Amino acid sequence: SHVAGPKVNAGRRIAPQLARQRPAAVPTIHATGAAYAALGYTTVFDAAIATAAAGIAHADLEPGQRDVLRALVETYAGVMPDDVAEERMRLIETAPSGWDAVRFAWLGALEPGIGHAYRVTGPTFLIEFVNVQPDAEGNPANHVHCVWRDRTGDFDLPARSP
């Protein structure tokens, strides 16, 4: 998992002695990441997108917007081995309500170079894209993380209930 955000980093800068004490008074990447990973999260950042109900449903998009959303999902699937991509796309098509159950949520700025993120969710998958971390040159958002999670079981392992 990955933990990022200005509050964690600001806490370390404001009180470095608290970040170094054990147990750390300022959250650590490893401890916080492990806690969130145990809950099934892949990426954690301060301005987190809400649950799967966030955003706009595929069914509520205009036809051209639906095409763009499908192309986005197909782009992520396109980097997977062909058999995996075909199976994951089939799962979207055959899930209850199919594409109409897929939702897109945007968070952040609309201007280039400013932090933003999006999430695409469906009954069988979750895609997250996060670009909120500044770089050493002072660009406010120049470090991208993205992931496709298979809700039926990542790494060909069956999903378990908590």
Side-chain angles (χ1 to χ4, degrees):
S1 82
H2 188 75
V3 180
K7 291 178 186 168
V8 171
N9 292 332
R12 290 186 185 122
R13 284 192 300 273
I14 291 168
Q17 72 282 8
L18 295 179
R20 286 190 293 269
Q21 79 181 31
R22 295 294 173 253
V26 176
T28 66
I29 295 297
H30 298 293
T32 305
Y36 276 94
L39 296 172
Y41 289 93
T42 58
T43 306
V44 180
F45 53 102
D46 288 339
I49 297 172
T51 63
I56 187 168
H58 179 270
D60 296 331
L61 296 171
E62 298 294 326
Q65 294 170 320
R66 290 178 188 180
D67 293 341
V68 170
L69 181 54
R70 284 178 185 242
L72 176 64
V73 173
E74 289 168 355
T75 298
Y76 278 85
V79 299
M80 300 173 194
D82 290 344
D83 59 330
V84 174
E86 289 172 13
E87 175 62 12
R88 289 188 176 174
M89 295 305 292
R90 185 193 66 74
L91 288 171
I92 295 171
E93 297 285 345
T94 60
S97 301
W99 278 95
D100 287 345
V102 174
R103 301 185 71 83
F104 178 86
W106 177 267
L107 172 75
L110 301 178
E111 300 83 23
I114 300 176
H116 59 279
Y118 63 78
R119 176 181 275 187
V120 183
T121 57
T124 61
F125 74 100
L126 167 111
I127 294 171
E128 291 177 327
F129 175 97
V130 180
N131 185 14
V132 297
Q133 185 174 338
D135 66 14
E137 300 298 319
N139 298 306
N142 193 29
H143 184 89
V144 171
H145 285 254
C146 59
V147 65
W148 174 305
R149 297 294 309 263
D150 179 355
R151 291 182 167 175
T152 66
D154 282 333
F155 311 109
D156 202 26
L157 299 172
R160 294 185 299 176
S161 298

